[in-house]
Structures are given as structure tokens and as C-alpha cells.
Amino acid sequence: TEKLRDEREEHVTPTPPIRPDALAGPALDEAGDICCPDRRIHDGEYKAALPGKLVRSEGDAPTGIEDADLAYDGAGQVFSLFAEEYGRNSLDGAGMPLIATVHHRRNYNNAFWDGNQMAYGTGDGKVFKTFLELSVIGHEMAHGIIQHSGGLIYENQSGALNESIADVFGSLTLQRSLGQQVHEADWLVGRGILGPGINGVALRSMKAPGTAYSDDLLGQDPQPWHMDGFVSTTEDNGGVHINSGIPNHAFYLFCSYLGGNSWELPGRVWYRALERLNNPMASFAEWADQTLQAATEISGLGSHEAAMLRRAWKLVGISI
Ligand code: ASN
Ligand code: ZN
């Protein structure tokens, strides 16, 4: 896991990209509506250089390179969630191309958003066997959306919120693609990506943080679900992948109290809160407050939805 951590450290606090306007894709149709993604998938050919060799552009037929085609289809699902449910045109809201690299480095046990694009390792075949799973793809792309929505500093509570919001939209991408309602979904992030050497079902569980794996090599899934279990550490940028379990579980609870499709009302609330947030250092409590404001705007002050949201945050130890 030290190795995993080292690789992670390389990707902290992505710098905002400077995107030449020439790269902006024609994502509006003639009526001016959001219509389509502009995907550009590259093969890193197991080297470290990004973006690597362009293998599939928007509208191209499948390449036959499995990972490249999964990255292409996954990016399409994520684009579709944000465009059709939340009215957002790509990661920057202005139609930016969706650039991804598969086969990043050799035996690389991670995937990441680097401030400009997604990159996916193949895993070493032991700890991880792939990263091209829809909740992971949605997670990495959501980092791009968070960055373009004012950002959340990638350390301590704001960093754990950045991680959690990425998990939320990753999970919603998967649930929507499967047409699963709240109670049909497994609420796992990265299901099936762990290698044969690892005892576990996924990278994280939003329904039961702390239970995704329990393994000699990786240890026990360290995620808490309640503020009483908040982990103060200097590792992992202040536990950004650990304490994200708390807001993750609040979102899960909110969805489970309401039922139905999580990407609809709950997703809209989280998306609106992200759009409205203008505090890159937000704490869990400040974010919770922002979600309550969003729920109030969408459903009204004394609404059932707003009440269920407060109840969800309260259950994880955050009173708003
Ligand atoms: N896969 C990790 C993530 O997206 C990479 C990182 O630690 N930034 O959270
Ligand atoms: Zn992340």
C-alpha cells in the first residue's frame, strides 16, 4: 500500500488547466442545446508520457483495444449523466473534450485526473486487475467537474469532500447506466477491480464504509461512516480517501430515505450544491449546509426532502 500511496501523492492538487479554445468541441447542436461529447481516447502504450497515441476520436468505430473502448463508452455515460440530468456541457460546462489515456505506465495500480485529462493504469494483476469500471471512470471525471466548479483543496476535510463528491457522481453514473433504484444498487465504488490476491469486493462502499475489503496486503478498509470515526492523519493528504466515507454515507442515507432514482433528486441536490459552493476550503459541515440550501431551493423549506437530508447528515454526526 505504500507504493499505492506514493503513486497517489504524485497527483495531488491538480493545477487548473489552460485550455486552448481550439480544443473546445462542438458540443452544442443547431438549437444551441447540449448534444454530444467530444471524446479522445489515447493508448499510453505502457509508458508514462501523456496523452500518448490517439486511438479513438468521437464517432470512430470501436478500436478492438478493450480498455480504450471501455474508456470511450464510460466517458459517454458520464457525459450523458451531466448533460441530460443536470444540463452541464462536459467537465468545464463549455464542451471541453474528454481526453483519456489507457495503458498508462506498466503495472500501474491507479487511475487519476491530472487537471486536464483522465489516465488509467491496467493494475499489476495482483492488487488491481483493471481501472476501467464505470464508477471509477465517473469518479475520475467528476474530479474534473469539481475543479471547474471552483475546486475543493485536496487535503483534510475539503479534500475528503472532493473525494466523496467524485464517488457520488461515479456511483450515480453506474446506477443510471444500469437503471437501478436506490435499493437495487450496491453502492460500491470500483466493484470488481481488485485483483485475485486481494480479499475484497470493491475499493469503497458508500452503504457500509469500512467493509469493502479486509486483506493482509491492503489491511482493513479504513473508511469511517460517522464523525466519531474521523481519522486524523497526515497520510493520504490528510485521509482524503478515508474520511470521504462520512459524506459518502450521508449521501447514501439521503437517497435511501427518499427511494427512487438517486441520480434524480439527490443527484440534483448534490450537483446544485457543488455549483453554488464558493469555498474551496469547505468543511463537512459547510458542505452539508450547502446541500441543505440546494435541497431547499429545489424542494422547498419545509419539504420532506430537506427534512430527510438533515436526518441523513445527523446520522453521520453532522448537525445542520
Ligand atoms: N485514484 C485516485 C483518485 O482519483 C488518484 C488520487 O489519489 N488522486 O482519488
Ligand atoms: Zn479521487
Side-chain angles (χ1 to χ4, degrees):
T1 54
E2 278 313 313
K3 181 169 167 289
L4 292 182
R5 276 196 197 101
D6 290 348
E7 286 170 348
R8 227 173 232 171
E9 307 285 301
E10 293 169 29
H11 307 298
V12 300
T13 327
T15 46
I18 298 159
R19 184 171 59 86
D21 284 334
L23 279 181
L28 299 186
D29 65 15
E30 277 151 30
D33 292 328
I34 303 165
C35 72
C36 37
D38 178 14
R39 290 166 285 186
R40 303 177 191 184
I41 312 301
H42 302 74
D43 190 334
E45 298 178 312
Y46 306 98
K47 292 178 287 210
L50 292 174
K53 180 177 134 197
L54 181 65
V55 291
R56 189 169 176 191
S57 296
E58 190 61 41
D60 288 355
T63 58
I65 305 165
E66 190 187 3
D67 284 353
D69 294 329
L70 288 168
Y72 183 93
D73 293 344
Q77 291 285 344
V78 180
F79 183 93
S80 156
L81 169 74
F82 284 96
E84 289 164 31
E85 307 295 340
Y86 314 132
R88 186 185 188 88
N89 187 5
S90 191
L91 307 183
D92 63 348
M96 79 179 271
L98 302 174
I99 302 169
T101 300
V102 300
H103 301 162
H104 176 64
R105 309 191 354 180
R106 200 172 288 281
N107 296 325
Y108 185 63
N109 278 327
N110 217 336
F112 59 90
W113 163 258
D114 81 340
N116 291 291
Q117 67 157 92
M118 289 73 71
Y120 304 95
T122 59
D124 62 6
K126 297 183 181 72
V127 179
F128 288 100
K129 59 184 182 197
T130 183
F131 286 90
L132 289 155
E133 184 278 331
L134 197 46
S135 65
V136 171
I137 295 171
H139 175 108
E140 301 312 338
M141 293 175 66
H143 278 309
I145 290 176
I146 294 163
Q147 174 185 323
H148 284 282
S149 306
L152 277 162
I153 309 285
Y154 205 63
E155 58 186 19
N156 304 325
Q157 287 201 10
S158 58
L161 288 171
N162 192 320
E163 271 305 304
S164 172
I165 295 164
D167 277 353
V168 163
F169 289 110
S171 181
L172 294 185
T173 304
L174 178 61
Q175 290 179 39
R176 180 172 177 268
S177 81
L178 297 171
Q180 288 178 329
Q181 301 213 340
V182 177
H183 300 287
E184 295 163 340
D186 59 24
W187 293 92
L188 296 172
V189 176
R191 179 178 179 169
I193 75 171
L194 296 173
I198 301 296
N199 178 39
V201 293
L203 211 46
R204 292 181 284 277
S205 168
M206 300 176 68
K207 181 173 181 172
T211 69
Y213 54 85
S214 181
D215 185 83
D216 289 342
L217 196 60
L218 290 182
Q220 176 73 37
D221 173 359
Q223 286 207 310
W225 63 272
H226 188 280
M227 285 304 282
D228 288 349
F230 189 93
V231 178
S232 290
T233 173
T234 54
E235 282 180 29
D236 184 29
N237 299 105
V240 298
H241 295 87
I242 300 173
N243 294 311
S244 54
I246 296 166
N248 274 1
H249 196 58
F251 182 77
Y252 161 78
L253 288 170
F254 178 44
C255 294
S256 77
Y257 295 154
L258 296 181
N261 292 328
S262 302
W263 61 88
E264 293 180 347
L265 184 114
R268 280 198 276 277
V269 168
W270 250 239
Y271 181 72
R272 173 139 351 172
L274 180 60
E275 273 188 304
R276 295 269 195 277
L277 185 72
N278 70 11
N279 178 6
M281 301 252 288
S283 65
F284 286 3
E286 287 165 332
W287 169 253
D289 213 67
Q290 199 73 52
T291 65
L292 185 59
Q293 282 183 47
T296 303
E297 275 181 41
I298 292 170
S299 299
L301 199 55
S303 62
H304 174 66
E305 288 81 0
M308 292 303 105
L309 181 61
R310 300 177 83 124
R311 184 172 153 195
W313 282 115
K314 187 155 198 252
L315 206 90
V316 304
I318 294 168
S319 293
I320 45 170

